[in-house]
Amino acid sequence: MSRLLRLTTILRTVTRYRLDTFFDVDKLPRSARLLLAGNRLLPAPKLPRGERLRRALEDLGPIFIKFGQLLSTRPDLIPADICRELDKLQDDVPPFDKAHFVAIVEEALGNSIDNLFLQFDREPLASASVAQVHAAVLPNGREVVVKAIRPGIEKIIEQDIKLLFTIARWLEANTIDGRRMRLTEVVGDYRNTIFDELNLQREGANASLLRRNFDGSPLLYVPEVFWSHTNEKVLVMERIYAVPVTDVATLQQHNTNFKVLAERGVEIFFTQVFEHNFFHADMHPGNIFVDPSNPQQPKYLAVDCAIMGTLTEADQYYLARNLLAIFRRDYQQVAELHVLSGWVPEGTNIGEFTAAIRTVCEPIFERPLREISFGQLLVSLFRTARRFDMEVQPSLVLLQKTLLNIEGLGRQLYPDLDLWATAHPFLERWLKERFQPNALVEQLKRHGPEWLEQFPQVPQLIFHTLERLQTKDSSPVRPVAVTTSNGKGRGRIWAGAALMGIGLGSAYPEWLGQLQQIPTGSLILAGAGLLLLLLK
């Protein structure tokens, strides 16, 4: 009965905001057309469709607001105008009873609030859909914030998620847009994300690692987690005093250098993604603050580390190469990198794919660099790749959404922000440092056992690669059997193969047609490996 009543509420909201206009009603099943027939007699609110959806989600309550926030992170699936509007969703909700908050903290930490804290403010600092925050002072005098999960929220979430699954399955079965947006997959991602947010120990662990990554950095500060007062239900962190990044007036009063502030935001993003491989994936303005005490070198502060992202080493590499190739307008290399990375199938027609990428990118690059959104360019590129059966990976989706947030925020602070002026030298330096021979030798030391397990496959891969280089043919080549009569010979082969792998790998994929760009060190290593392979 409760689910039926909730469904009735949802239908009323759909009617009020005429969300039926998001779909071609004439293509819906007859039963659905009859159900929505009365809606056509009602005038649609004179609001953009994105705003109508946002208001509907706000009316439906905290769980649907969180779902809308997740939808805003899927620009690969959701139209840009709707994404921009959903970005405005705020989950400020009325606080729950303060006595109940105290009871949750005392039960979770096994002690009375008076013993746990020197001072505790019973009036909440903030209240959101999933958790609530109060200020306090630890017995040692440290000022902190105390975060606790709302009581009974798990049951409410589970009930609304079941309804969302029901609606998503119906839309996928009956509408083209429902299938295109893969709504059941989105709901599944939402379920995983929101239940992860309910584990505050996980959020604390994320915050601790991010803090450690930027320890001593002039770019970013992350508040300290106090583990003696933290578990799955309660999180206690250092209290910070800073200016919200959206409070431009206050930052101006401090004579903040907005150009440096915007560029540092970009540098923080690329540092997290490529150097640390651990990035804050919920960088909306409500989670970002600024320390303007040194206005010419302002520092960011970040909170709420519930959603973090990582990439595989291969994705890091191919993403960096893609961004550089896009900037150079080398669209064929972009297409080849998509195939080499496995983002699109190996049999993809490179010529057709290159033409499709050129069609998307070329008009964009006719504009000044400061007007180009590289986040939006990445979204457009992935959308184009979808036509060639690219499987969009959740980690890449999180990354492109984070880039959109950082870039949008940077342009708000400093409209002339040239993201590429910061990103380009960073990516060039990262590729050079990561894939020079010394770095690859260090990786061999660190991952020795794993590499040894793969050694039997290395000679075949090298022969395959050399044949591709000679013929410039991307079709599969049958593995070449390499045999030897004694263990010493086998050891020489593996050693030679490893050296060739390191040498060629340090220059890959430049040698797929640009042999003159191979670094000398890479040639020496590859040559030494080849000599070992040829020795009798």
Side-chain angles (χ1 to χ4, degrees), residues 142-191:
R142 294 291 299 275
E143 291 188 73
V144 295
V145 293
V146 184
K147 183 175 182 178
I149 297 297
R150 280 182 171 271
I153 193 69
E154 295 92 340
K155 184 178 179 180
I156 298 171
I157 291 172
E158 198 63 67
Q159 176 180 317
D160 276 352
I161 284 176
K162 286 178 181 177
L163 277 174
L164 286 170
F165 268 121
T166 300
I167 296 169
R169 281 191 288 265
W170 187 87
L171 288 171
E172 282 191 345
N174 295 290
T175 69
I176 295 174
D177 286 333
R179 289 190 292 275
R180 180 183 61 80
M181 291 190 292
R182 297 185 292 174
L183 290 177
T184 54
E185 177 187 318
V186 173
V187 175
D189 287 346
Y190 170 61
R191 186 185 189 283

Side-chain angles (χ1 to χ4, degrees), residues 389-410:
D389 298 324
M390 176 178 179
E391 281 294 322
V392 179
Q393 303 169 53
S395 57
L396 290 176
V397 171
L398 275 177
L399 179 136
Q400 70 185 24
K401 174 59 181 177
T402 304
L403 179 56
L404 281 169
N405 281 342
I406 292 295
E407 192 174 34
L409 178 62

Side-chain angles (χ1 to χ4, degrees), residues 2 221 255 372-373 391 410 497 512 521-522:
S2 62
Y221 183 84
N255 296 318
I372 296 174
S373 168
E391 281 294 322
L512 285 178
S522 302

Side-chain angles (χ1 to χ4, degrees), residues 261-271 300 403 406-407 410 417-420 422-423:
L261 186 62
E263 289 173 348
R264 284 190 161 193
V266 176
E267 187 176 352
I268 288 168
F269 169 78
F270 282 96
T271 300
Y300 283 96
L403 179 56
I406 292 295
E407 192 174 34
L417 171 68
D418 180 356
L419 179 141
W420 198 244
T422 301

Side-chain angles (χ1 to χ4, degrees), residues 229-492:
H229 290 64
T230 296
N231 57 30
E232 290 184 6
K233 297 296 182 183
V234 174
L235 171 64
V236 175
M237 297 185 71
E238 170 189 2
R239 186 175 184 180
I240 59 171
Y241 293 92
V243 180
V245 72
T246 52
D247 189 353
V248 175
T250 301
L251 292 173
Q252 287 174 335
Q253 289 174 7
H254 284 85
N255 296 318
T256 303
N257 188 324
F258 285 96
K259 181 177 185 292
V260 172
L261 186 62
E263 289 173 348
R264 284 190 161 193
V266 176
E267 187 176 352
I268 288 168
F269 169 78
F270 282 96
T271 300
Q272 288 183 90
V273 172
F274 290 101
E275 290 190 3
H276 303 156
N277 193 17
F278 187 72
F279 59 93
H280 195 308
D282 195 18
M283 295 289 280
H284 65 75
N287 291 337
I288 308 173
F289 299 83
V290 178
D291 175 6
S293 57
N294 183 356
Q296 292 307 305
Q297 299 292 324
K299 187 172 188 174
Y300 283 96
L301 297 90
V303 298
D304 194 351
C305 298
I307 305 174
M308 306 296 292
T310 61
L311 300 175
T312 65
E313 288 187 358
D315 280 348
Q316 279 183 305
Y317 176 71
Y318 284 111
L319 180 66
R321 293 289 316 178
N322 262 290
L323 290 172
L324 288 170
I326 289 169
F327 177 73
R328 293 166 182 159
R329 296 160 91 160
D330 187 347
Y331 304 128
Q332 181 172 339
Q333 187 175 67
V334 175
E336 289 173 349
L337 285 164
H338 272 68
V339 175
L340 289 168
S341 68
W343 294 348
V344 297
E346 187 174 348
T348 299
N349 185 306
I350 294 296
E352 290 182 9
F353 193 20
T354 300
I357 293 170
R358 184 184 300 111
T359 301
V360 169
C361 296
E362 197 61 24
I364 295 174
F365 278 105
E366 291 304 313
R367 291 148 51 191
L369 276 176
R370 70 176 185 275
E371 296 179 11
I372 296 174
S373 168
F374 282 90
Q376 207 62 57
L377 180 61
L378 205 59
V379 171
S380 299
L381 185 61
F382 284 167
R383 279 180 177 161
T384 301
R386 285 280 298 280
R387 289 170 38 208
F388 294 83
D389 298 324
M390 176 178 179
E391 281 294 322
V392 179
Q393 303 169 53
S395 57
L396 290 176
V397 171
L398 275 177
L399 179 136
Q400 70 185 24
K401 174 59 181 177
T402 304
L403 179 56
L404 281 169
N405 281 342
I406 292 295
E407 192 174 34
L409 178 62
R411 291 261 164 83
Q412 288 178 28
L413 296 170
Y414 184 70
D416 289 333
L417 171 68
D418 180 356
L419 179 141
W420 198 244
T422 301
H424 187 198
F426 184 98
L427 293 172
E428 291 274 18
R429 184 176 67 252
W430 180 81
L431 281 167
K432 181 179 179 181
E433 292 174 353
R434 178 61 65 93
F435 293 99
Q436 63 181 343
N438 289 344
L440 287 165
V441 169
E442 288 301 314
Q443 290 187 50
L444 177 59
K445 291 177 181 177
R446 190 167 67 252
H447 300 295
E450 294 91 334
W451 283 44
L452 287 171
E453 290 175 7
Q454 301 301 319
F455 269 8
Q457 302 174 31
V458 171
Q460 297 181 12
L461 293 173
I462 291 174
F463 282 116
H464 180 184
T465 300
L466 291 174
E467 184 161 343
R468 284 181 62 185
L469 179 60
Q470 183 178 2
T471 64
K472 293 188 178 180
D473 181 3
S474 61
S475 59
V477 179
R478 290 184 181 179
V480 179
V482 181
T483 59
T484 183
S485 59
N486 57 67
K488 185 176 179 181
R490 281 195 296 271
R492 188 181 68 248

